[in-house]
Amino acid sequence: MDNRRVFLKKAGISTLALSLPYATTLSAMQTQNEDKILRVAIMGLGSYGTRVAEAMKDCKRAKLVGVVSGTPTKIADWQNKYGIPAKNCYNYENFDQVKDNPDIDVVYMTTPNSLHKPHCLRLAAAGKHVISEKPMALNAVEGREMVDACTKAGVHLLVGYRMHFEAKTLEVVRMQRAGDFGKTLFFQGLSGFIIGDPTQWRLNRELAGGGSMMDIGIYSVNGARYMLGEEPIWVTAQESKTDPVKFKEGVDETITFQMGFPSGAIASCLSTYALNYLDKFFLNGTKGFAEMQPSTGYGPIKAWTNKGPIEREHITHQTTQMDEMAAIILDGKKPVIPVDGEEGLKDLVIIDAIYEAVRAGKKVEIK
């Protein structure tokens, strides 16, 4: 018995802990784990960065502790509003110094698309986890560089797929996977709005990498994949433009695209900056259907199936997203729908193929 006590003491395990029921001990361990808080710095203090910051006020597992911005006045405003200490504030020239700051776990990049890759590589080199807004990069080549850099550095690369945690979305996905709709053979995704200020970065090819497809269109690309539960093997696509002054060369106004899947399922989708009221998903199977409208807006999401409406409490998407991402990073939780860099890379491969299909005017196989 004495030898056993000595062993337990060295191992840091008490005899009391071993005498407790397994479930009680496990519960205590989980509670201790849930006490950990993910400490977040936001890079890019624009409208979406502000939306994430406001949502995080209600988070249980994630806390805003730092900022990265090229605008000193914004930094000062955020310091006052969110109580951020000066030591956790950086600009785009010196944010590599975050490597010496143990009070920041992850940096959430809400910057223009073209900045995601270079900033991600610098953050990975600094040993910090990275959350990137979508699309993760300008193309699949850049996306692969980001994934590889974070893997090499041993840090997480996550993508801001907030809909992957939205309750009604998850219920439709659960029903599809359970076979409630039979064999699902058709998906429709309509994603669009009328974009405003023609001088904004989203209409700058160098910063955005394209037009509507590199912004709102990714929702239909990604939605088709998680709603059908498959990866597409081919795409066709067509571009149309009604305002070539506002939508210059290389900045797409409207793209209609189709995707084919191994099961024989087809997705028919629209991405546009020219029309409002386009936020709809429709999934059809041999035994039923699901429809969502709005399907990806900030909410509340509305969803119904052939069995009736889906009712779930609306929680601010970014609040749920950041708490769930905290669980992924801190606890190793596996989400129902992935949000890692490999998931972001799959969307980029498809978007590359869509642009190639527009240029070539023919079906493009996805390898």
Side-chain angles (χ1 to χ4, degrees):
M1 179 64 73
D2 289 341
N3 290 337
R4 183 169 180 267
R5 287 198 183 99
V6 170
F7 168 77
L8 293 174
K9 185 176 181 181
K10 288 182 178 179
I13 306 171
S14 69
T15 52
L16 176 61
L18 287 181
S19 67
L20 291 172
Y22 172 76
T24 303
T25 306
L26 181 61
S27 176
M29 291 170 62
Q30 290 172 334
T31 301
Q32 183 180 16
N33 218 29
E34 289 173 0
D35 288 338
K36 295 180 182 177
I37 299 295
L38 185 70
R39 298 163 300 178
V40 183
I42 292 180
M43 174 184 285
L45 309 185
S47 61
Y48 195 74
T50 300
R51 185 179 291 274
V52 173
E54 288 296 301
M56 287 178 65
K57 289 179 178 178
D58 296 322
C59 284
K60 297 179 175 64
R61 300 289 310 279
K63 181 180 180 181
L64 175 63
V65 300
V67 294
V68 182
S69 176
T71 308
T73 54
K74 284 187 178 181
I75 292 177
D77 290 344
W78 279 52
Q79 280 187 269
N80 293 330
K81 186 172 184 179
Y82 300 107
I84 297 170
K87 68 181 181 65
N88 290 354
C89 298
Y90 301 89
N91 57 47
Y92 294 116
E93 286 71 45
N94 70 8
F95 74 81
D96 305 86
Q97 296 173 16
V98 74
K99 69 178 184 300
D100 300 317
N101 191 336
D103 296 332
I104 294 175
D105 301 313
V106 61
V107 178
Y108 193 154
M109 306 185 303
T110 63
T111 47
N113 303 338
S114 66
L115 300 179
H116 292 172
K117 188 197 85 168
H119 289 170
C120 173
L121 299 189
R122 289 169 65 184
L123 290 168
K128 298 301 179 181
H129 303 297
V130 180
I131 302 173
S132 173
E133 252 316 298
K134 55 197 179 299
M136 187 175 76
L138 294 182
N139 51 58
V141 172
E142 287 194 355
R144 172 49 65 190
E145 288 184 61
M146 293 168 67
V147 170
D148 291 346
C150 289
T151 300
K152 182 179 179 181
V155 298
H156 284 273
L157 171 58
L158 305 180
V159 186
Y161 290 117
R162 57 186 169 83
M163 301 312 300
H164 292 200
F165 306 109
E166 196 277 323
K168 293 177 183 178
T169 300
L170 287 174
E171 176 59 13
V172 173
V173 170
R174 184 200 66 77
M175 293 176 72
Q176 189 275 342
R177 294 184 180 182
D180 290 10
F181 308 126
K183 186 175 182 179
T184 47
L185 291 171
F186 179 73
F187 171 85
Q188 181 187 48
L190 304 178
S191 302
F193 63 92
I194 298 175
I195 198 164
D197 180 10
T199 66
Q200 64 180 282
W201 70 262
R202 288 177 178 82
L203 297 178
N204 182 316
R205 182 182 182 183
E206 285 68 37
L207 291 176
S212 68
M213 181 57 61
M214 294 297 288
D215 180 22
I216 193 69
I218 195 171
Y219 285 98
S220 283
V221 172
N222 190 251
R225 294 176 50 237
Y226 63 69
M227 285 292 183
L228 288 168
E230 295 185 84
E231 299 299 330
I233 54 176
W234 59 260
V235 301
T236 56
Q238 307 80 36
E239 180 181 3
S240 61
K241 192 172 291 190
T242 64
D243 189 347
V245 175
K246 187 174 185 178
F247 302 98
K248 296 178 174 59
E249 182 67 25
V251 179
D252 48 284
E253 175 189 313
T254 300
I255 292 181
T256 55
F257 60 98
Q258 304 76 41
M259 296 183 282
F261 295 80
S263 67
I266 299 293
S268 177
C269 304
L270 171 68
S271 167
T272 185
Y273 271 158
L275 291 167
N276 284 329
Y277 312 111
L278 285 177
D279 184 9
K280 177 181 178 179
F281 283 177
F282 178 69
L283 181 69
N284 202 10
T286 55
K287 295 181 180 179
F289 72 88
E291 191 165 358
M292 306 176 73
Q293 189 176 13
S295 57
T296 62
Y298 294 137
I301 300 302
K302 294 183 180 179
W304 58 96
T305 75
N306 54 294
K307 297 181 179 181
I310 295 176
E311 303 292 348
R312 295 291 187 278
E313 178 186 4
H314 171 66
I315 301 173
T316 301
H317 297 170
Q318 293 81 2
T319 302
T320 303
Q321 172 196 330
M322 294 310 296
D323 273 341
E324 289 294 323
M325 286 186 166
I328 291 169
I329 292 173
L330 298 176
D331 309 339
K333 183 176 181 179
K334 301 296 183 184
V336 174
I337 311 172
V339 293
D340 57 15
E342 292 289 350
E343 176 76 1
L345 182 58
K346 289 176 182 178
D347 281 341
L348 290 172
V349 168
I350 296 167
I351 291 173
D352 285 353
I354 289 170
Y355 279 131
E356 177 58 28
V358 167
R359 287 189 293 267
K362 62 182 181 180
K363 180 187 291 186
V364 173
E365 305 291 333
I366 299 175
K367 300 179 181 179

